[in-house]
Amino acid sequence: MRMRTGGRFARATGLVVAVTLAVGAAACGDDDTAASDGSGGSVDLVAYSTPQEAYADIIEAFKADGHDGVDVSESYGASGDQSRAVEAGQPADYVAFSLEPDVNRLVEADLVADDWNSGQYHGMVTDSVVVLVVRPGNPKNIESWDDLIEDDVEVVTPNPFTSGGARWNVMAAYGAQIQQGRSEDEAQQYLADLFANVIVQDDSARKSLQTFSGGAGDVLLAYENEAIFAQQSGEDIEYIVPDDTILIENPVALTTGGADDQAAEDFLDFVYTTDAQRIFADHGYRPVVEGVAEPNEFPTPSGLFTIDDFGGWSEVSSTFFDPEDSVMADVERGIGVSTGG
Amino acid sequence: MRPGTGLGLGLATLYMSAIVLVPLGAVVWRSRGDGWSGFWHDVTTPEASSTLRLTVGVSLAVAVINAGFGTLIAWVLVRDRFAGKRFVDALIDLPFALPTIVAGLVLLALYGPESPLGVDLAYTRPGVVVALLFVTLPFVVRTVQPVLIELDREMEEAAASLGATRATIFRRIILPNLMPAIAAGTALSFARAISEYGATVLISGNLPFKTQVASVHIFSQIENDNTTGAAAVSTVLLLVSLVVLLSLDLVQRWAVRRD
C-alpha cells in the first residue's frame, strides 16, 4: 500500500515535469511556425484545449496534402475563454469550441456568419458521448446512472457554471432520466441527488480528470474522448458507456475574416476529409463523416439523445444554467444549505 | 523643487496610472454597469455572499498565521546559526517563482486523497488555507528580515544589563521595532490571499457554498457572460483589501510614533 501511494506521488511529480517540458516544447514550436515563409497564406486556428494533440497531427497532414506553404498559428485554451478572446479581438480564421454557445457568442458579435451551421454536418466536426469513468475492476460496480446516487458513491464532475463542457454531463444525467420515462421533476430530483454525491467541482473538464487520477472519487463524468485520452496516456481507468446518454457535438466555424481566406477555407474542407476524421478518431473523437470509424470502434448507445431533444442550447442555457434562476442554481443552492454553508 | 523632481513625479504618476490606476478604475466603473441596485444584487446573491465571506475569512486566517510564523522564520534566519541557512534563505522566495497552478498540483499530491504523509486536506477549508499559506509565505519574512538585520543589538544588551528578561526585551524593544514591517507584510499577504486563483482552484474542489473562493466565483460569472457581476464582486474584494491595507498602515504609523 505504501508502495502504491509512493508511486502516485512519483507520478504527480513526473506530471509536473512533463507539463514543464510540454510548455517548453510549445514555446519552441512557435519558433518553427514563425520560420515558415507563409507564402501559401496563413490560418489562425483558435480552439478549445482537448483536441490540441489531434490538431497537431491534422495540421501536419494538411501541410503534407499540398499546403506546405500555409502558415498555421495555433491557440488553445478553455472553450469559453477562447471564444471571449476572439470576441475581444484575438485574430482568428478558424475556431473550434466544445459547445455551440461559444460559436453563437461570435455570431452575435458579427464575427461568424449566421449560416455557419447550414452545411452538411451542421457545423459540427466531431462527436462524443458522456461516459462514466471508474477505477480499475469497477470496485463500486457502477453500471448505470442509477448507481451514481447510491449513498457510498463519490462522483467527480466539473462545475457547470465555470465549465461550459460540464453542461454536457448535466444534460446527459438529466436526459437519461427522461429517457427512462421519469418526469421532469423526478429528473431534477435526480440531479440534486447526483450533485449531493459530487465531492469536487473543478473549474474545467481536464482538471476533473486530473482530480480523479489523483485518487479522488469513485466515478468521473467525462467525455468519451477524454476517457480514451486518459487511457492512451497510461492512466489506469475503465469507462462505461451508459445505454442512455447524450451525443456531444463539437462545432467549428470560419470567422468572417477567415471566410475570405482561401487557406482557411481549404483547412475547413480538410478537417472533413477521411484522413483528418481518422486522426480525430485515433484521438478518441467520434468522426462525423460516415464510414471513417471501424464498425465496432464507437458503439452507438441504444438510448442516445441530443441537446435538441431539450430545445437546443439557447433554451437549455437559460432553463438549466442561468446562474441565479435555473435548475442547476437551485440544485447547488439546495446542497449548499444541507452542507451547512 | 529641485530640477528633475517634476519629471520624476510625472513619470511615476504616468506609470502608476497606466499600470494600476486605470485598470482598477475600469473594474470599478464596469461594476456599476447595472446601477447601484444591480451592483448590490450581484454581490448579495447567495453564491456571491457565501464566497466573499469564505474568502475574507480564510484570508484573515492566512494573514494572522503569516504574521506569527513569518516573523518566527525571519528571526531564525537572522539570529540563529545552523547548517544550510543560506539554502533555506534562498528557498523562501520559491513560492513566488512556482506557477501557482503547479503549487496547487503539488499540494494536492502531498495533502490530497493519496497523501504519502497520511494527511488529507483536499476539498476542505483547511486545505484552502494551506494553499494560501504556501503562496504568501515570503511576504512577512521578506519585510521583517531586513529590519531585524538592521536592529541595533546594543539596545537589547543595554536592556539585559538593566535586568530585563528575554521576554521583556522581546515585548518592549524588539516587537515595537518590528511592528511596522510585520504590519506591512501581513497586509500584503492578505491582499494576495484574497485574490488567489491558481493555488486554490485544485485543492478547494470548488464546492459552491463550501469551498468555492471568490476568484472562482468571479470566473464563473465571466463564463456566464456576466462581466458586470464579475466586476462587482472584484470591486468588493478591492474595497476589503483597501480597508485592510489602510488599517494596517495606521498600525505602522502608530508603531513608528511610539518609537
Side-chain angles (χ1 to χ4, degrees):
Chain A
M1 192 62 206
R2 285 192 65 83
M3 283 301 291
R4 263 199 55 208
T5 49
R8 187 73 78 179
F9 177 61
R11 267 178 43 202
T13 317
L15 187 79
V16 172
V17 174
V19 166
T20 315
L21 289 178
V23 170
C28 298
D30 281 350
D31 292 340
D32 290 345
T33 21
S36 231
D37 60 0
S39 57
S42 66
V43 180
D44 289 329
L45 178 153
V46 177
Y48 66 111
S49 40
T50 43
Q52 181 167 0
E53 293 86 359
Y55 273 115
D57 293 349
I58 287 171
I59 290 167
E60 200 177 310
F62 176 67
K63 290 190 173 182
D65 187 50
H67 298 91
D68 199 24
V70 177
D71 196 356
V72 183
S73 76
E74 303 163 67
S75 160
Y76 300 96
S79 191
D81 286 348
Q82 294 292 81
S83 169
R84 279 185 295 274
V86 172
E87 183 190 23
Q90 178 177 350
D93 299 316
Y94 173 98
V95 290
F97 298 123
S98 73
L99 66 175
E100 202 182 313
D102 288 331
V103 181
N104 292 337
R105 179 183 289 118
L106 300 182
V107 173
E108 280 166 30
D110 288 330
L111 289 166
V112 166
D114 52 16
D115 65 347
W116 67 277
N117 54 2
S118 61
Q120 183 186 356
Y121 301 103
H122 309 290
M124 302 302 159
V125 72
T126 49
D127 291 340
S128 195
V129 293
V130 171
V131 299
L132 315 175
V133 178
V134 296
R135 302 286 170 201
N138 195 1
K140 290 273 168 114
N141 214 2
I142 306 293
E143 298 295 340
S144 70
W145 291 102
D146 287 344
D147 297 328
L148 304 189
I149 57 172
E150 297 290 327
D151 281 345
D152 63 337
V153 174
E154 294 183 332
V155 180
V156 176
T157 184
N159 184 314
F161 294 104
T162 53
S163 163
R167 298 177 179 187
W168 288 116
N169 299 348
V170 173
M171 294 318 294
Y174 178 89
Q177 302 307 306
I178 301 292
Q179 196 82 358
Q180 290 164 20
R182 302 203 171 120
S183 71
E184 289 186 1
D185 285 345
E186 285 167 333
Q188 288 188 22
Q189 184 55 45
Y190 176 85
L191 287 181
D193 294 342
L194 175 67
F195 273 77
N197 276 357
V198 172
I199 53 161
V200 190
Q201 296 186 22
D202 286 303
D203 66 344
S204 73
R206 208 29 98 67
K207 285 200 189 107
S208 279
L209 178 60
Q210 189 70 52
T211 296
F212 187 75
S213 305
D218 302 309
V219 189
L220 167 73
L221 302 187
Y223 324 144
E224 182 185 44
N225 57 286
E226 283 283 274
I228 293 172
F229 167 81
Q231 286 184 332
Q232 286 174 348
S233 325
E235 291 289 345
D236 198 7
I237 55 138
E238 294 175 9
Y239 67 90
I240 295 123
V241 181
D243 290 338
D244 300 303
T245 191
I246 199 164
L247 180 72
I248 294 170
E249 298 171 286
N250 312 119
V252 291
L254 293 183
T255 61
T256 43
D260 298 332
D261 186 337
Q262 190 59 46
E265 277 187 33
D266 289 349
F267 189 72
L268 182 64
D269 290 341
F270 187 76
V271 296
Y272 288 103
T273 59
T274 308
D275 283 354
Q277 289 281 308
R278 185 63 241 168
I279 292 172
F280 276 126
D282 290 341
H283 285 89
Y285 291 91
R286 296 182 172 222
V288 293
V289 175
E290 299 227 355
V292 172
E294 306 290 327
N296 287 317
E297 195 177 4
F298 298 106
T300 304
S302 54
L304 192 66
F305 49 90
T306 73
I307 200 69
D308 290 335
D309 294 334
F310 309 100
W313 272 114
S314 55
E315 169 82 23
V316 166
S317 296
S318 60
T319 316
F320 284 85
F321 303 110
D322 183 277
E324 287 178 34
D325 181 20
S326 63
V327 172
M328 277 314 295
D330 289 347
V331 165
E332 299 273 24
R333 283 173 188 180
I335 295 165
V337 171
S338 64
T339 53
Chain B
M1 193 185 279
R2 283 189 295 115
T5 312
L7 183 67
L9 185 67
L11 264 180
T13 310
L14 189 67
Y15 183 82
M16 272 282 288
S17 304
I19 304 289
V20 180
L21 292 179
V22 171
L24 289 187
V27 169
V28 176
W29 179 257
R30 187 58 183 264
S31 72
R32 294 266 286 100
D34 296 334
W36 276 118
S37 62
F39 177 90
W40 187 246
H41 175 82
D42 282 334
V43 301
T44 52
T45 62
E47 289 82 9
S49 65
S50 134
T51 194
L52 282 168
R53 276 201 309 272
L54 170 72
T55 305
V56 173
V58 294
S59 299
L60 283 174
V62 163
V64 168
I65 296 172
N66 265 318
F69 278 93
T71 309
L72 176 71
I73 292 170
W75 177 269
V76 169
L77 283 176
V78 173
R79 294 291 175 95
D80 287 351
R81 287 161 192 236
F82 56 92
K85 185 166 136 175
R86 298 205 133 215
F87 177 71
V88 175
D89 194 30
L91 213 63
I92 300 287
D93 292 325
L94 272 187
F96 277 169
L98 199 64
T100 52
I101 189 80
V102 179
L105 205 57
V106 173
L107 289 173
L108 196 58
L110 278 174
Y111 304 123
E114 298 274 334
S115 168
L117 310 168
V119 183
D120 185 1
L121 296 177
Y123 325 127
T124 64
R125 290 176 183 180
V128 177
V129 171
V130 169
L132 292 174
L133 285 174
F134 180 86
V135 294
T136 55
L137 170 75
F139 288 111
V140 173
V141 180
R142 287 304 186 221
T143 47
V144 170
Q145 207 177 9
V147 180
L148 208 47
I149 291 171
E150 293 292 317
L151 199 61
D152 193 354
R153 307 272 306 242
E154 284 180 12
M155 273 196 300
E156 293 165 49
E157 282 156 18
S161 73
L162 291 170
T165 61
R166 294 188 63 170
T168 311
I169 295 173
F170 184 78
R171 190 167 52 83
R172 298 292 298 272
I173 296 180
I174 299 171
L175 203 55
N177 278 297
L178 295 185
M179 258 334 263
I182 295 175
T186 306
L188 284 175
S189 61
F190 176 83
R192 173 66 199 272
I194 209 171
S195 60
E196 178 57 33
Y197 184 92
T200 56
V201 73
L202 284 173
I203 206 163
S204 75
N206 299 326
L207 296 171
F209 301 100
K210 208 171 154 210
T211 59
Q212 188 180 67
V213 296
S215 53
V216 174
H217 173 74
I218 290 168
F219 176 64
S220 87
Q221 295 298 309
I222 295 172
E223 186 67 34
N224 289 290
D225 291 320
N226 182 10
T227 46
T228 309
V233 177
S234 308
T235 300
V236 173
L237 291 184
L238 282 175
L239 285 175
V240 172
S241 292
L242 191 66
V243 168
V244 169
L245 290 170
L246 284 178
S247 46
L248 284 171
D249 187 58
L250 283 179
V251 170
Q252 286 183 55
R253 284 162 193 274
W254 172 79
V256 169
R257 202 174 322 135
R258 260 179 47 130
D259 254 8

PDB file of all heavy atoms in Angstrom, chain B residues 29-48:
ATOM      1  N   TRP B  29     -15.542  50.926 -12.506  1.00  0.00           N
ATOM      2  CA  TRP B  29     -16.507  51.533 -13.428  1.00  0.00           C
ATOM      3  C   TRP B  29     -17.429  50.459 -14.000  1.00  0.00           C
ATOM      4  O   TRP B  29     -18.645  50.606 -14.032  1.00  0.00           O
ATOM      5  CB  TRP B  29     -15.756  52.246 -14.548  1.00  0.00           C
ATOM      6  CG  TRP B  29     -16.659  52.878 -15.562  1.00  0.00           C
ATOM      7  CD1 TRP B  29     -16.951  52.413 -16.804  1.00  0.00           C
ATOM      8  CD2 TRP B  29     -17.411  54.078 -15.391  1.00  0.00           C
ATOM      9  NE1 TRP B  29     -17.836  53.240 -17.434  1.00  0.00           N
ATOM     10  CE2 TRP B  29     -18.138  54.284 -16.584  1.00  0.00           C
ATOM     11  CE3 TRP B  29     -17.544  54.992 -14.340  1.00  0.00           C
ATOM     12  CZ2 TRP B  29     -18.981  55.368 -16.761  1.00  0.00           C
ATOM     13  CZ3 TRP B  29     -18.398  56.078 -14.526  1.00  0.00           C
ATOM     14  CH2 TRP B  29     -19.104  56.258 -15.716  1.00  0.00           C
ATOM     15  N   ARG B  30     -16.839  49.338 -14.422  1.00  0.00           N
ATOM     16  CA  ARG B  30     -17.602  48.262 -15.017  1.00  0.00           C
ATOM     17  C   ARG B  30     -18.623  47.686 -14.040  1.00  0.00           C
ATOM     18  O   ARG B  30     -19.726  47.295 -14.408  1.00  0.00           O
ATOM     19  CB  ARG B  30     -16.645  47.163 -15.495  1.00  0.00           C
ATOM     20  CG  ARG B  30     -17.295  46.056 -16.297  1.00  0.00           C
ATOM     21  CD  ARG B  30     -17.965  46.681 -17.509  1.00  0.00           C
ATOM     22  NE  ARG B  30     -18.680  45.683 -18.286  1.00  0.00           N
ATOM     23  CZ  ARG B  30     -18.170  45.085 -19.346  1.00  0.00           C
ATOM     24  NH1 ARG B  30     -16.966  45.390 -19.759  1.00  0.00           N
ATOM     25  NH2 ARG B  30     -18.884  44.209 -20.014  1.00  0.00           N
ATOM     26  N   SER B  31     -18.251  47.672 -12.737  1.00  0.00           N
ATOM     27  CA  SER B  31     -19.132  47.063 -11.746  1.00  0.00           C
ATOM     28  C   SER B  31     -20.424  47.853 -11.588  1.00  0.00           C
ATOM     29  O   SER B  31     -21.410  47.353 -11.076  1.00  0.00           O
ATOM     30  CB  SER B  31     -18.406  46.961 -10.402  1.00  0.00           C
ATOM     31  OG  SER B  31     -18.276  48.255  -9.843  1.00  0.00           O
ATOM     32  N   ARG B  32     -20.404  49.121 -12.048  1.00  0.00           N
ATOM     33  CA  ARG B  32     -21.608  49.937 -11.905  1.00  0.00           C
ATOM     34  C   ARG B  32     -22.482  49.868 -13.155  1.00  0.00           C
ATOM     35  O   ARG B  32     -23.431  50.633 -13.286  1.00  0.00           O
ATOM     36  CB  ARG B  32     -21.198  51.397 -11.647  1.00  0.00           C
ATOM     37  CG  ARG B  32     -20.495  51.613 -10.344  1.00  0.00           C
ATOM     38  CD  ARG B  32     -21.458  52.017  -9.242  1.00  0.00           C
ATOM     39  NE  ARG B  32     -21.920  53.408  -9.395  1.00  0.00           N
ATOM     40  CZ  ARG B  32     -23.069  53.738  -9.907  1.00  0.00           C
ATOM     41  NH1 ARG B  32     -23.894  52.814 -10.327  1.00  0.00           N
ATOM     42  NH2 ARG B  32     -23.417  54.990 -10.008  1.00  0.00           N
ATOM     43  N   GLY B  33     -22.160  48.913 -14.043  1.00  0.00           N
ATOM     44  CA  GLY B  33     -22.867  48.807 -15.319  1.00  0.00           C
ATOM     45  C   GLY B  33     -24.377  48.692 -15.182  1.00  0.00           C
ATOM     46  O   GLY B  33     -25.129  49.153 -16.032  1.00  0.00           O
ATOM     47  N   ASP B  34     -24.836  48.060 -14.111  1.00  0.00           N
ATOM     48  CA  ASP B  34     -26.281  47.899 -13.923  1.00  0.00           C
ATOM     49  C   ASP B  34     -26.809  48.807 -12.817  1.00  0.00           C
ATOM     50  O   ASP B  34     -27.845  48.543 -12.231  1.00  0.00           O
ATOM     51  CB  ASP B  34     -26.613  46.438 -13.575  1.00  0.00           C
ATOM     52  CG  ASP B  34     -26.262  45.499 -14.719  1.00  0.00           C
ATOM     53  OD1 ASP B  34     -26.248  45.971 -15.871  1.00  0.00           O
ATOM     54  OD2 ASP B  34     -26.002  44.314 -14.456  1.00  0.00           O
ATOM     55  N   GLY B  35     -26.071  49.869 -12.510  1.00  0.00           N
ATOM     56  CA  GLY B  35     -26.510  50.791 -11.456  1.00  0.00           C
ATOM     57  C   GLY B  35     -26.245  50.227 -10.072  1.00  0.00           C
ATOM     58  O   GLY B  35     -25.791  49.092  -9.925  1.00  0.00           O
ATOM     59  N   TRP B  36     -26.558  51.045  -9.047  1.00  0.00           N
ATOM     60  CA  TRP B  36     -26.275  50.618  -7.673  1.00  0.00           C
ATOM     61  C   TRP B  36     -27.078  49.397  -7.277  1.00  0.00           C
ATOM     62  O   TRP B  36     -26.580  48.503  -6.604  1.00  0.00           O
ATOM     63  CB  TRP B  36     -26.554  51.746  -6.683  1.00  0.00           C
ATOM     64  CG  TRP B  36     -25.398  52.680  -6.557  1.00  0.00           C
ATOM     65  CD1 TRP B  36     -25.391  54.016  -6.859  1.00  0.00           C
ATOM     66  CD2 TRP B  36     -24.071  52.367  -6.122  1.00  0.00           C
ATOM     67  NE1 TRP B  36     -24.144  54.534  -6.637  1.00  0.00           N
ATOM     68  CE2 TRP B  36     -23.311  53.552  -6.183  1.00  0.00           C
ATOM     69  CE3 TRP B  36     -23.446  51.196  -5.695  1.00  0.00           C
ATOM     70  CZ2 TRP B  36     -21.970  53.607  -5.836  1.00  0.00           C
ATOM     71  CZ3 TRP B  36     -22.106  51.231  -5.342  1.00  0.00           C
ATOM     72  CH2 TRP B  36     -21.388  52.427  -5.414  1.00  0.00           C
ATOM     73  N   SER B  37     -28.339  49.352  -7.701  1.00  0.00           N
ATOM     74  CA  SER B  37     -29.156  48.212  -7.288  1.00  0.00           C
ATOM     75  C   SER B  37     -28.636  46.942  -7.947  1.00  0.00           C
ATOM     76  O   SER B  37     -28.611  45.880  -7.327  1.00  0.00           O
ATOM     77  CB  SER B  37     -30.622  48.458  -7.651  1.00  0.00           C
ATOM     78  OG  SER B  37     -30.752  48.581  -9.054  1.00  0.00           O
ATOM     79  N   GLY B  38     -28.162  47.076  -9.199  1.00  0.00           N
ATOM     80  CA  GLY B  38     -27.571  45.922  -9.878  1.00  0.00           C
ATOM     81  C   GLY B  38     -26.315  45.465  -9.172  1.00  0.00           C
ATOM     82  O   GLY B  38     -26.102  44.274  -8.945  1.00  0.00           O
ATOM     83  N   PHE B  39     -25.496  46.438  -8.762  1.00  0.00           N
ATOM     84  CA  PHE B  39     -24.273  46.125  -8.029  1.00  0.00           C
ATOM     85  C   PHE B  39     -24.601  45.373  -6.746  1.00  0.00           C
ATOM     86  O   PHE B  39     -24.050  44.313  -6.446  1.00  0.00           O
ATOM     87  CB  PHE B  39     -23.530  47.433  -7.705  1.00  0.00           C
ATOM     88  CG  PHE B  39     -22.281  47.243  -6.894  1.00  0.00           C
ATOM     89  CD1 PHE B  39     -21.069  47.040  -7.521  1.00  0.00           C
ATOM     90  CD2 PHE B  39     -22.331  47.265  -5.502  1.00  0.00           C
ATOM     91  CE1 PHE B  39     -19.908  46.858  -6.773  1.00  0.00           C
ATOM     92  CE2 PHE B  39     -21.177  47.076  -4.753  1.00  0.00           C
ATOM     93  CZ  PHE B  39     -19.965  46.874  -5.394  1.00  0.00           C
ATOM     94  N   TRP B  40     -25.548  45.942  -6.001  1.00  0.00           N
ATOM     95  CA  TRP B  40     -25.935  45.342  -4.721  1.00  0.00           C
ATOM     96  C   TRP B  40     -26.461  43.925  -4.941  1.00  0.00           C
ATOM     97  O   TRP B  40     -26.117  42.996  -4.207  1.00  0.00           O
ATOM     98  CB  TRP B  40     -26.986  46.227  -4.044  1.00  0.00           C
ATOM     99  CG  TRP B  40     -27.313  45.765  -2.660  1.00  0.00           C
ATOM    100  CD1 TRP B  40     -28.496  45.269  -2.218  1.00  0.00           C
ATOM    101  CD2 TRP B  40     -26.420  45.741  -1.534  1.00  0.00           C
ATOM    102  NE1 TRP B  40     -28.403  44.942  -0.890  1.00  0.00           N
ATOM    103  CE2 TRP B  40     -27.138  45.220  -0.445  1.00  0.00           C
ATOM    104  CE3 TRP B  40     -25.077  46.108  -1.358  1.00  0.00           C
ATOM    105  CZ2 TRP B  40     -26.560  45.048   0.813  1.00  0.00           C
ATOM    106  CZ3 TRP B  40     -24.513  45.922  -0.098  1.00  0.00           C
ATOM    107  CH2 TRP B  40     -25.255  45.406   0.967  1.00  0.00           C
ATOM    108  N   HIS B  41     -27.270  43.778  -5.995  1.00  0.00           N
ATOM    109  CA  HIS B  41     -27.822  42.455  -6.300  1.00  0.00           C
ATOM    110  C   HIS B  41     -26.694  41.457  -6.597  1.00  0.00           C
ATOM    111  O   HIS B  41     -26.695  40.339  -6.090  1.00  0.00           O
ATOM    112  CB  HIS B  41     -28.768  42.560  -7.491  1.00  0.00           C
ATOM    113  CG  HIS B  41     -29.297  41.237  -7.944  1.00  0.00           C
ATOM    114  ND1 HIS B  41     -30.370  40.617  -7.338  1.00  0.00           N
ATOM    115  CD2 HIS B  41     -28.872  40.393  -8.915  1.00  0.00           C
ATOM    116  CE1 HIS B  41     -30.584  39.453  -7.920  1.00  0.00           C
ATOM    117  NE2 HIS B  41     -29.696  39.282  -8.883  1.00  0.00           N
ATOM    118  N   ASP B  42     -25.717  41.900  -7.423  1.00  0.00           N
ATOM    119  CA  ASP B  42     -24.642  40.990  -7.836  1.00  0.00           C
ATOM    120  C   ASP B  42     -23.800  40.500  -6.662  1.00  0.00           C
ATOM    121  O   ASP B  42     -23.306  39.380  -6.674  1.00  0.00           O
ATOM    122  CB  ASP B  42     -23.715  41.690  -8.847  1.00  0.00           C
ATOM    123  CG  ASP B  42     -24.331  41.723 -10.239  1.00  0.00           C
ATOM    124  OD1 ASP B  42     -25.161  40.849 -10.534  1.00  0.00           O
ATOM    125  OD2 ASP B  42     -23.976  42.621 -11.020  1.00  0.00           O
ATOM    126  N   VAL B  43     -23.610  41.370  -5.661  1.00  0.00           N
ATOM    127  CA  VAL B  43     -22.723  40.972  -4.562  1.00  0.00           C
ATOM    128  C   VAL B  43     -23.494  40.349  -3.393  1.00  0.00           C
ATOM    129  O   VAL B  43     -22.879  39.915  -2.422  1.00  0.00           O
ATOM    130  CB  VAL B  43     -21.858  42.140  -4.044  1.00  0.00           C
ATOM    131  CG1 VAL B  43     -21.000  42.690  -5.161  1.00  0.00           C
ATOM    132  CG2 VAL B  43     -22.708  43.222  -3.416  1.00  0.00           C
ATOM    133  N   THR B  44     -24.819  40.290  -3.483  1.00  0.00           N
ATOM    134  CA  THR B  44     -25.574  39.696  -2.378  1.00  0.00           C
ATOM    135  C   THR B  44     -26.330  38.438  -2.790  1.00  0.00           C
ATOM    136  O   THR B  44     -27.126  37.925  -2.007  1.00  0.00           O
ATOM    137  CB  THR B  44     -26.598  40.698  -1.794  1.00  0.00           C
ATOM    138  OG1 THR B  44     -27.385  41.203  -2.873  1.00  0.00           O
ATOM    139  CG2 THR B  44     -25.919  41.829  -1.065  1.00  0.00           C
ATOM    140  N   THR B  45     -26.092  37.928  -4.001  1.00  0.00           N
ATOM    141  CA  THR B  45     -26.694  36.629  -4.321  1.00  0.00           C
ATOM    142  C   THR B  45     -26.122  35.624  -3.319  1.00  0.00           C
ATOM    143  O   THR B  45     -25.027  35.821  -2.787  1.00  0.00           O
ATOM    144  CB  THR B  45     -26.328  36.163  -5.748  1.00  0.00           C
ATOM    145  OG1 THR B  45     -24.917  36.009  -5.839  1.00  0.00           O
ATOM    146  CG2 THR B  45     -26.809  37.144  -6.793  1.00  0.00           C
ATOM    147  N   PRO B  46     -26.875  34.541  -3.040  1.00  0.00           N
ATOM    148  CA  PRO B  46     -26.371  33.572  -2.058  1.00  0.00           C
ATOM    149  C   PRO B  46     -24.957  33.097  -2.406  1.00  0.00           C
ATOM    150  O   PRO B  46     -24.100  32.968  -1.520  1.00  0.00           O
ATOM    151  CB  PRO B  46     -27.365  32.419  -2.163  1.00  0.00           C
ATOM    152  CG  PRO B  46     -28.613  33.018  -2.695  1.00  0.00           C
ATOM    153  CD  PRO B  46     -28.201  34.171  -3.557  1.00  0.00           C
ATOM    154  N   GLU B  47     -24.689  32.883  -3.707  1.00  0.00           N
ATOM    155  CA  GLU B  47     -23.365  32.401  -4.119  1.00  0.00           C
ATOM    156  C   GLU B  47     -22.295  33.442  -3.809  1.00  0.00           C
ATOM    157  O   GLU B  47     -21.258  33.132  -3.228  1.00  0.00           O
ATOM    158  CB  GLU B  47     -23.342  32.101  -5.626  1.00  0.00           C
ATOM    159  CG  GLU B  47     -24.135  30.873  -6.047  1.00  0.00           C
ATOM    160  CD  GLU B  47     -25.608  31.154  -6.196  1.00  0.00           C
ATOM    161  OE1 GLU B  47     -26.001  32.343  -6.132  1.00  0.00           O
ATOM    162  OE2 GLU B  47     -26.391  30.195  -6.369  1.00  0.00           O
ATOM    163  N   ALA B  48     -22.579  34.706  -4.210  1.00  0.00           N
ATOM    164  CA  ALA B  48     -21.560  35.749  -4.046  1.00  0.00           C
ATOM    165  C   ALA B  48     -21.284  36.005  -2.574  1.00  0.00           C
ATOM    166  O   ALA B  48     -20.128  36.088  -2.156  1.00  0.00           O
ATOM    167  CB  ALA B  48     -22.008  37.036  -4.739  1.00  0.00           C
TER     168      ALA B  48
END
